[in-house]
Amino acid sequence: MNTVELIAPCHFGLEAVLKREILDLGYEISKVEDGKVTFLGDMEAIAYANVFLRTAERILLKVGEIHAETFDELFERTRELPWEDYIPRDGKFWVAKATSIKSKLFSPSDIQSIMKKAMVERLKRVYGVSWFEESGESYPVRVTFMKDQAVIGIDTTGVSLHKRGYRQMTAKAPITETLAAALIMLTPWNKNRIFVDPFCGSGTFPIEAAMMAAGIAPGMNREFLADKWDGLVPKKFWYHALDEANERMDTQIEVDIQGYDIDGEVVKAARANAKMAGVDHLIHFQQRPVNMLNHPKKYGFVVTNPPYGERIEEKAKLPGLYREIGEAFQRLDSWSEYVITSYEEAEKYIGRKADKNRKIYNGMIKTYFYQFLGAKPPKPRKNQGESFG
């Protein structure tokens, strides 16, 4: 089967997590850049990547890479690409998104217009038609310019991969599902360890943790653009991916995953979202403020996204709130705690310097992923029945 290049964009700073996921699926990495990982696969890889990858934003089928400093060059280089290998005679195609960094061609709308004209010219000649009805399936094109070099791909995903299909109810300032999954993967947490989110909001951290624990593929219950591209990605590839997803799933496992929030309505929304995801039986949600955070077991994980104080009136409350977080962490002194926030004085008021700190962009907001590492639980002796959180 022919090898193609696939591009998986992700959050800046989390490329290594996505790279590991792709390698675990069995595909070869060809390039890692800021905000994206490119890998090699066959057409079946389009189905597997869309269904299984937890931290990618979408999957692009790479058409080509060109150099262009003028619009004439852009037209000619775009026209030279083998669009007919991907877009059928009745395909609906357009340049859905163009971005440009440090390049002479910087107007997204002009880039989109010129490229569409070049694609039309190429396909008119190949298919021997004078105009296109574009009545078939969608083939949106995305192009990224960097220093006059453009990478061009067709979007196989459609609605971003962070839309798992379970989050109908959202709290304010929600964290995306892909970012939540990536942050959990940056921790050593596994399904045998306790997981607590004291600011659970719409439940994204606990739900993503439960889906990982139960082996539920993130793309199992949604549609993709490419699942209608029968001539390019046959239906059997999607059936193979979904069959494997069903085989990997085990929702009968026993886990200790908890989500708390001070707002009762938010907790109700989190429960509803967990039910949509099929993991409500794996998570204990409760209305509880952070100053009530405690746990009888000695070892566990806190992974959370507390308020950032983006509004001025909220900013004044942050020192007190982060002091309460610090006091809760002291009560859980042998636990590991992971906090993502844009609040730059978080460590000061938590009262402890993080063991590790990683800068991550949550949308356009620069955030920090503070990692306060606890003691590792002792390994149980052979034939010892007791398990540790």
Side-chain angles (χ1 to χ4, degrees):
M1 206 173 287
N2 288 342
T3 298
V4 293
E5 270 195 295
L6 299 171
I7 304 164
C10 64
H11 282 272
F12 282 94
L14 297 173
E15 300 82 5
V17 182
L18 175 55
K19 177 184 174 182
R20 191 168 74 233
E21 271 204 285
I22 293 167
L23 289 172
D24 286 346
L25 273 183
Y27 301 116
E28 182 186 340
I29 305 293
S30 57
K31 192 185 285 187
V32 179
E33 302 164 90
D34 287 346
K36 66 181 175 183
V37 179
T38 304
F39 61 103
L40 304 175
D42 52 24
M43 285 301 179
E44 192 169 49
I46 291 173
Y48 273 77
N50 275 299
V51 170
F52 285 104
L53 291 180
R54 298 184 189 277
T55 63
E57 294 301 311
R58 63 185 62 250
I59 304 299
L60 305 177
L61 172 56
K62 185 174 175 181
V63 177
E65 199 164 337
I66 63 173
H67 183 91
E69 298 181 28
T70 68
F71 285 118
D72 284 343
E73 269 189 301
L74 177 62
F75 182 90
E76 292 303 327
R77 299 293 86 79
T78 302
R79 190 170 59 174
E80 289 167 2
L81 295 172
W83 294 103
E84 65 279 4
D85 289 353
Y86 311 101
I87 301 171
R89 184 190 293 260
D90 66 346
K92 181 182 178 185
F93 58 95
W94 71 103
V95 182
K97 187 169 184 182
T99 57
S100 178
I101 300 168
K102 298 178 181 175
S103 299
K104 293 180 180 64
L105 301 179
F106 56 84
S107 164
S109 58
D110 288 334
I111 291 168
Q112 288 167 298
S113 174
I114 296 292
M115 288 185 67
K116 167 75 178 191
K117 286 176 184 171
M119 292 165 68
V120 168
E121 285 302 309
R122 168 87 182 198
L123 292 174
K124 269 166 62 174
R125 190 176 75 243
V126 170
Y127 289 128
V129 296
S130 56
W131 67 287
F132 289 95
E133 207 172 284
E134 298 196 44
S135 58
E137 300 304 335
S138 295
Y139 296 80
V141 173
R142 289 179 169 240
V143 57
T144 305
F145 265 93
M146 171 64 81
K147 296 181 180 175
D148 303 319
Q149 198 74 9
V151 176
I152 301 164
I154 301 175
D155 181 15
T156 73
T157 302
V159 176
S160 172
L161 287 175
H162 81 265
K163 298 280 191 183
R164 316 285 206 222
Y166 68 72
R167 197 161 76 179
Q168 308 300 310
M169 314 277 291
T170 59
K172 60 184 179 180
I175 196 164
T176 67
E177 294 86 331
T178 45
L179 179 54
L183 295 176
I184 294 169
M185 288 181 184
L186 281 174
T187 78
W189 177 79
N190 65 62
K191 63 186 177 185
N192 300 314
R193 307 287 298 276
I194 304 160
F195 183 103
V196 177
D197 179 0
F199 297 93
C200 72
S202 53
T204 310
F205 272 131
I207 291 169
E208 289 295 319
M211 288 176 70
M212 287 181 202
I216 299 173
M220 278 185 76
N221 299 309
R222 53 157 290 170
E223 295 180 337
F224 306 97
L225 284 180
D227 64 25
K228 299 179 182 69
W229 298 353
D230 292 351
L232 200 59
V233 190
K235 283 282 186 200
K236 66 179 180 181
F237 293 164
W238 298 97
Y239 296 145
H240 293 167
L242 291 172
D243 285 347
E244 187 166 328
N246 278 301
E247 286 170 13
R248 291 190 190 188
M249 185 168 59
D250 179 9
T251 58
Q252 301 308 308
I253 56 163
E254 288 190 14
V255 290
D256 189 347
I257 298 173
Q258 303 174 27
Y260 305 132
D261 202 281
I262 197 169
D263 186 331
E265 290 304 307
V266 163
V267 172
K268 280 184 192 172
R271 283 199 188 104
N273 290 338
K275 190 169 186 179
M276 285 287 292
V279 294
D280 52 314
H281 64 297
L282 300 177
I283 306 170
H284 172 68
F285 286 110
Q286 187 180 340
Q287 182 178 359
R288 185 193 287 191
V290 71
N291 61 15
M292 299 286 288
L293 177 62
N294 213 335
H295 202 286
K297 288 195 176 177
K298 191 172 181 183
Y299 302 100
F301 284 78
V302 171
V303 182
T304 195
N305 175 37
Y308 297 173
E310 293 304 309
R311 295 181 190 147
I312 293 171
E313 65 270 19
E314 292 173 348
K315 211 128 195 152
K317 298 176 183 175
L318 290 186
L321 178 65
Y322 280 77
R323 275 196 200 98
E324 289 183 345
I325 293 171
E327 288 162 7
F329 288 177
Q330 284 176 8
R331 291 193 293 274
L332 301 170
D333 61 345
S334 53
W335 283 43
S336 292
E337 293 100 7
Y338 297 81
V339 178
I340 181 170
T341 179
S342 67
Y343 185 43
E344 296 194 350
E345 294 192 276
E347 288 171 302
K348 173 184 173 182
Y349 290 107
I350 286 173
R352 176 181 165 191
K353 186 162 179 60
D355 297 290
K356 292 182 181 178
N357 178 11
R358 182 186 284 251
K359 184 164 63 176
I360 292 164
Y361 280 86
N362 182 7
M364 298 304 292
I365 302 170
K366 183 172 72 173
T367 63
Y368 301 90
F369 191 46
Y370 295 106
Q371 303 170 52
F372 303 93
L373 306 180
K376 288 183 180 178
K379 289 181 179 176
R381 292 190 297 272
K382 284 183 181 177
N383 303 321
Q384 184 176 332
E386 184 185 356
S387 65
F388 295 86

